[in-house]
Amino acid sequence: MNIPTFLNENSMTIQAVATVVLVGITIFYAIQTRKTVKEMKQARLFEFIPILSVHVQSLSYNLIRVSLKNVGRGLARNPKIWIPSIVDPVAVRDNLAVGDETIKDINVQPSTILQFQDEQRKIRVEYLDVFGRTVESEARLMPETTIENTPRKYFLKSENWKPILPHDT
């Protein structure tokens, strides 16, 4: 069998197969490019997300102090704090820039909070990022303990705060 003759006789078939292979490769690369662009967009959106750390301490039998600090890399707009089923959302201030910290005192009795089950004792903070997406942080509210590790009846502290990032990207 002569190779040049074979190629001449089957040139249309070889060209059709090569075209199908190239179309498949082009489709594969188009899909990979779309995935890369989507991941880059998500990375860009999350690069400047604000994250507010939440810390709570009792000041008296009917007053708790909530401290918020923006430890993220973006502006937190219109932060509000609340304790579900106890305290309605309360505006803290207009904006918290990167590194800013603010304090808000809330009139609530720690003993009222401590009556709830452990998983229900949370404080939540809701705010907007620069893209208008809702971001939240939450912290568990626990009884404050003494050096001897016994609970102090009317005092609270926060622990295990965590950010809740937006899902709509």
Side-chain angles (χ1 to χ4, degrees), residues 26 30 55 65 84 107 111 133-134 157:
T26 303
H55 298 282
R65 174 164 285 167
N107 289 316
S111 59
R133 297 174 301 167
T134 300
K157 66 177 182 174

Side-chain angles (χ1 to χ4, degrees), residues 25-82:
I25 290 171
T26 303
I27 290 171
F28 171 78
Y29 279 114
I31 291 169
Q32 293 303 317
T33 301
R34 184 184 314 162
K35 288 179 183 178
T36 302
V37 168
K38 186 176 180 179
E39 287 176 11
M40 289 173 61
K41 179 183 176 187
Q42 285 181 325
R44 187 181 73 245
L45 291 175
F46 278 105
E47 183 176 356
F48 297 106
I49 197 158
I51 298 175
L52 297 185
S53 67
V54 182
H55 298 282
V56 176
Q57 74 180 72
S58 297
L59 297 180
S60 67
Y61 72 95
N62 65 348
L63 189 64
I64 62 171
R65 174 164 285 167
V66 180
S67 172
L68 302 177
K69 182 173 184 177
N70 188 347
V71 297
R73 295 184 58 190
L75 180 71
R77 297 180 5 216
N78 305 321
K80 296 180 207 104
I81 53 179
W82 77 93

Side-chain angles (χ1 to χ4, degrees), residues 12 26 32 52 74 99 101 108 125 139 143 163:
M12 296 297 273
T26 303
Q32 293 303 317
L52 297 185
E101 189 169 359
V108 63
V125 181

Side-chain angles (χ1 to χ4, degrees), residues 1-150:
M1 170 178 239
N2 189 348
I3 292 177
T5 306
F6 174 79
L7 291 175
N8 280 337
E9 291 173 356
N10 297 304
S11 65
M12 296 297 273
T13 306
I14 293 170
Q15 189 176 9
V17 170
T19 301
V20 169
V21 169
L22 287 174
V23 166
I25 290 171
T26 303
I27 290 171
F28 171 78
Y29 279 114
I31 291 169
Q32 293 303 317
T33 301
R34 184 184 314 162
K35 288 179 183 178
T36 302
V37 168
K38 186 176 180 179
E39 287 176 11
M40 289 173 61
K41 179 183 176 187
Q42 285 181 325
R44 187 181 73 245
L45 291 175
F46 278 105
E47 183 176 356
F48 297 106
I49 197 158
I51 298 175
L52 297 185
S53 67
V54 182
H55 298 282
V56 176
Q57 74 180 72
S58 297
L59 297 180
S60 67
Y61 72 95
N62 65 348
L63 189 64
I64 62 171
R65 174 164 285 167
V66 180
S67 172
L68 302 177
K69 182 173 184 177
N70 188 347
V71 297
R73 295 184 58 190
L75 180 71
R77 297 180 5 216
N78 305 321
K80 296 180 207 104
I81 53 179
W82 77 93
I83 302 170
S85 56
I86 299 175
V87 176
D88 291 331
V90 176
V92 179
R93 66 186 242 198
D94 289 340
N95 298 313
L96 274 175
V98 176
D100 277 1
E101 189 169 359
T102 190
I103 293 172
K104 182 73 174 178
D105 294 338
I106 300 177
N107 289 316
V108 63
Q109 292 182 348
S111 59
T112 304
I113 297 169
L114 292 173
Q115 292 174 1
F116 285 90
Q117 295 291 331
D118 190 36
E119 62 274 355
Q120 294 176 318
R121 287 194 312 249
K122 293 181 182 178
I123 187 163
R124 293 182 72 97
V125 181
E126 181 180 281
Y127 44 99
L128 301 174
D129 68 1
V130 293
F131 302 104
R133 297 174 301 167
T134 300
V135 185
E136 294 179 87
S137 294
E138 93 179 2
R140 287 180 36 199
L141 296 173
M142 304 298 295
E144 192 176 283
T145 56
T146 62
I147 295 172
E148 297 84 29
N149 217 18
T150 57

